[in-house]
Amino acid sequence: MANTRNTAGGATRSAAQKATQSVLSLALAAALATFLTPAAALADDAQSTDEQAQITTNEQAQGSTSAESDAQDTPEGQKPSAQSDTPEQLQLTDVQSLETPALATPRMSISIDKPNDTPEVIPMREELTTWGQKGTTLQFIAEGNVTIDARVEVWGDVHLTLADGANLICTGGIHVGEGNSLTIDGQANNTGTLTATDKDNNAGIGGNAFANSGTVTINGGTVNAKGGASGAGLGGGVSGEEDPGSCSVIINGGIVNATGGSAGAGIGSGADGNGNVAITGGTINAMGGFCGAGIGGGMNGNGTVTITGGTVTAKTDGNATGIGGGCNGNGYVTISGGTVNATGRDGHAGIGGGNGSVIIDGNAFVVANGDRGKSGIDVKTNQNSWRGVVVENGSGKVYGNVALTTDATLPSGSTLTVPAGSSLTVPAGVTFTNNGTVNVELDGTFNTESALAGGGKVTYLKSNPSTEPVYVIRSTARSMELDDGAAVSAASAATEVQEQPEKQEKAQEKESSSASGNSAAKSTGSTLPGDVPLAQESTGGIPLVGIFIAVGVFIAAGLFIAAAKKRSAKN
């Protein structure tokens, strides 16, 4: 019986081996066929190409013989037939046999006259005291050191580029009369400088005395402008009381340092004039003369000022506002962005003046200081609709929801309150330097997405500070301190939280009341800068790891009992 199974098994294995060999043979044949088929096809194509070339050569030879025969049959002096005037038509095979196909038409050279739309850029030279022409647009570039010892006259639309490293000095200032315009640009690094100083009653850059001025726009570079007696540094010259002149200044970027004459604004109008100033960006430092606003109107002059961005500092030499109207003038001021610091003197507000208006609407950070009991902003008819951060004479408030767009500083000794329903956000990339105290009321929000700078503190006020603890966080880029012994959870490893030792004794003396007060405060869900939550006390409960251990023990016990029953059944 064993031999029979062995014999059958051997037969079976032999049949399987034969089947396997057959399959391998078929696979090898298919592979060889797949490999050889392209080669055979290529060989057939090559043979077909040779045969076609031979046919083409024969046809060309026959064509040549036929042409020679036709030429011999044509009598001398007889015109060729109409068919002979038709150019010979190349067949497809003829084109394929040529190395370079013949062109159907001769090549043509086309010339297009392109107008020179790139304006000429004129290098600035010492003898150029007139820039531009009326009704034209011209571009100039200042490179190196150039000094023009005269007052420059601007005509038409003039664009001046201050090359990096350039230093252009105009000792008599620059006159931009009514109907004309001057635009000043910098290059990539904004290191070019223009300095213009007037010696009479004119603006350093802008209008002449007793006349309207044109438009001055600054986009880049560094511009230093100083007005003559009663003229603005940048803007208008002195005007007549019965015929006030006007000026227009636009600043989009760069660094601007402007100083008014004895009664002129730093940026705006001269005495008795009307100044129109728009600032969207840049770094601006403006100083008005006596009775002239830093930015706005000169003495007896009105100032219309709109600020949507940039970093602006405006002061006066005396008896006027920082931004707005000059003494005896009205200020119409709208601020919706940027960082603004304005200071008045001699009984004048930092911002405002006369019977004008002040509108704060946007994400601006405004610090305004009045003098001799005057408020920071003296025109508040629109205060109910303000939105932004406003600090007046050291006391500030956040109006609405504000997200800063430029770096800002809370001055030393100042306080800023974030009331319930309002919020102040310091986005990443924006630096808020706190040199004072920020008070965050219950339901107010202070969100800092970047580290605070400065040595000030942040206080979180509860609903009733007289009976509930007030948590004070002294915040720097490296550490925070929390009063009243309350614990906090750190936002990052770089943040350290310390308890003030002097508060520990107070907590021990009033242990029962402090414990209840701290529990109430912790349940409010108040947050620290950077969304650091106040620590919550544990309320008990079974830890999650304990649940896992209990389940594991239960499963193991069940398996052990099942195994014991199985052994018992076998026995």
Side-chain angles (χ1 to χ4, degrees):
M1 180 68 69
N3 291 335
T4 303
R5 278 200 298 269
N6 291 339
T7 304
T12 302
R13 282 195 298 272
S14 177
Q17 290 175 355
K18 289 181 180 181
T20 302
Q21 291 176 355
S22 299
V23 171
L24 291 176
S25 299
L26 290 174
L28 180 60
L32 289 173
T34 303
F35 176 76
L36 294 176
T37 297
L42 291 174
D44 293 341
D45 291 344
Q47 181 177 0
S48 175
T49 302
D50 291 341
E51 292 175 357
Q52 183 66 36
Q54 184 62 37
I55 294 172
T56 301
T57 304
N58 294 336
E59 288 177 355
Q60 289 177 347
Q62 292 175 1
S64 176
T65 304
S66 175
E68 291 175 1
S69 175
D70 293 340
Q72 292 175 359
D73 295 338
T74 302
E76 293 184 6
Q78 183 176 351
K79 291 184 179 180
S81 63
Q83 183 177 2
S84 65
D85 292 336
T86 303
E88 180 183 358
Q89 299 296 321
L90 295 176
Q91 302 297 322
L92 180 60
T93 54
D94 297 327
V95 175
Q96 291 176 345
S97 65
L98 296 175
E99 293 183 0
T100 303
L103 293 174
T105 57
R107 293 183 180 272
M108 299 176 60
S109 89
I110 301 175
S111 161
I112 300 176
D113 293 328
K114 181 180 179 181
N116 184 13
D117 53 5
T118 303
E120 178 185 4
V121 179
I122 304 171
M124 191 59 63
R125 301 188 302 273
E126 295 178 358
E127 64 272 17
L128 284 178
T129 59
T130 299
W131 300 350
Q133 289 180 322
K134 191 173 181 64
T136 64
T137 298
L138 290 180
Q139 293 190 0
F140 294 80
I141 185 169
E143 299 175 303
N145 297 318
V146 179
T147 300
I148 301 176
D149 289 324
R151 187 162 179 81
V152 173
E153 295 291 333
V154 171
W155 293 99
D157 181 18
V158 172
H159 292 253
L160 171 63
T161 298
L162 301 174
D164 285 335
N167 185 22
L168 173 61
I169 299 175
C170 299
T171 59
I174 301 173
H175 175 218
V176 183
E178 184 176 13
N180 304 298
S181 63
L182 171 64
T183 301
I184 301 172
D185 296 295
Q187 283 190 333
N189 298 319
N190 271 327
T191 59
T193 301
L194 166 64
T195 301
T197 304
D198 181 66
K199 300 175 181 178
D200 297 317
N201 285 304
N202 310 313
I205 302 175
N208 279 349
F210 307 109
N212 293 330
S213 67
T215 300
V216 178
T217 302
I218 300 175
N219 297 323
T222 297
V223 177
N224 304 313
K226 184 176 181 180
S230 299
L234 182 63
V238 65
S239 299
E241 293 184 11
E242 297 181 357
D243 185 21
S246 64
C247 66
S248 179
V249 177
I250 302 171
I251 302 175
N252 299 317
I255 300 173
V256 177
N257 303 305
T259 303
S262 58
I267 302 174
S269 74
D272 300 313
N274 296 319
N276 297 287
V277 182
I279 299 173
T280 67
T283 301
I284 296 92
N285 300 293
M287 171 68 78
F290 187 81
C291 280
I295 301 175
M299 182 177 67
N300 302 322
N302 299 326
T304 301
V305 182
T306 302
I307 300 174
T308 60
T311 301
V312 180
T313 302
K315 300 179 180 180
T316 177
D317 190 44
N319 200 30
T321 61
I323 299 177
C327 63
N328 303 321
N330 299 321
Y332 304 91
V333 182
T334 300
I335 302 174
S336 60
T339 299
V340 178
N341 195 315
T343 304
R345 283 190 61 183
D346 301 329
H348 289 267
I351 300 175
N355 297 315
S357 64
V358 176
I359 299 173
I360 310 294
D361 181 21
N363 295 310
F365 191 97
V366 179
V367 178
N369 295 309
D371 186 34
R372 297 182 184 178
K374 198 69 173 180
S375 62
I377 299 175
D378 64 354
V379 182
K380 298 183 178 179
T381 54
N382 299 307
Q383 187 174 10
N384 291 335
S385 61
W386 284 0
R387 186 170 68 88
V389 178
V390 179
V391 181
E392 298 184 64
N393 294 341
S395 179
K397 179 180 176 181
V398 177
Y399 294 84
N401 300 313
V402 180
L404 299 181
T405 59
T406 52
D407 295 346
T409 299
L410 181 64
S412 177
S414 299
T415 60
L416 175 62
T417 300
V418 185
S422 295
S423 66
L424 174 60
T425 300
V426 183
V430 175
T431 300
F432 176 55
T433 303
N434 178 20
N435 292 328
T437 300
V438 178
N439 294 323
V440 183
E441 293 183 349
L442 185 66
D443 295 329
T445 303
F446 181 39
N447 180 29
T448 58
E449 298 175 4
S450 60
L452 297 178
K457 61 183 180 180
V458 179
T459 301
Y460 283 77
L461 303 176
K462 304 307 173 185
S463 59
N464 189 354
S466 62
T467 59
E468 298 182 11
V470 175
Y471 297 99
V472 180
I473 302 145
R474 291 178 177 84
S475 176
T476 66
R478 298 294 301 174
S479 66
M480 291 190 298
E481 295 178 357
L482 185 63
D483 284 356
D484 291 313
V488 299
S489 59
S492 64
T495 304
E496 301 173 358
V497 182
Q498 303 172 350
E499 293 184 2
Q500 286 194 334
E502 63 270 20
K503 295 297 182 180
Q504 294 177 0
E505 296 179 2
K506 178 180 177 182
Q508 292 173 359
E509 292 175 358
K510 300 181 180 180
E511 182 176 357
S512 59
S513 60
S514 296
S516 61
N518 286 338
S519 298
K522 292 169 186 176
S523 64
T524 61
S526 299
T527 57
L528 305 180
D531 291 332
V532 185
L534 295 177
Q536 301 288 332
E537 290 186 348
S538 173
T539 57
I542 300 176
L544 186 59
V545 66
I547 295 174
F548 286 141
I549 292 173
V551 173
V553 171
F554 180 82
I555 294 173
L559 294 175
F560 178 80
I561 293 171
K565 289 181 177 180
K566 186 175 182 180
R567 287 196 299 272
S568 175
K570 288 181 178 181
N571 293 333

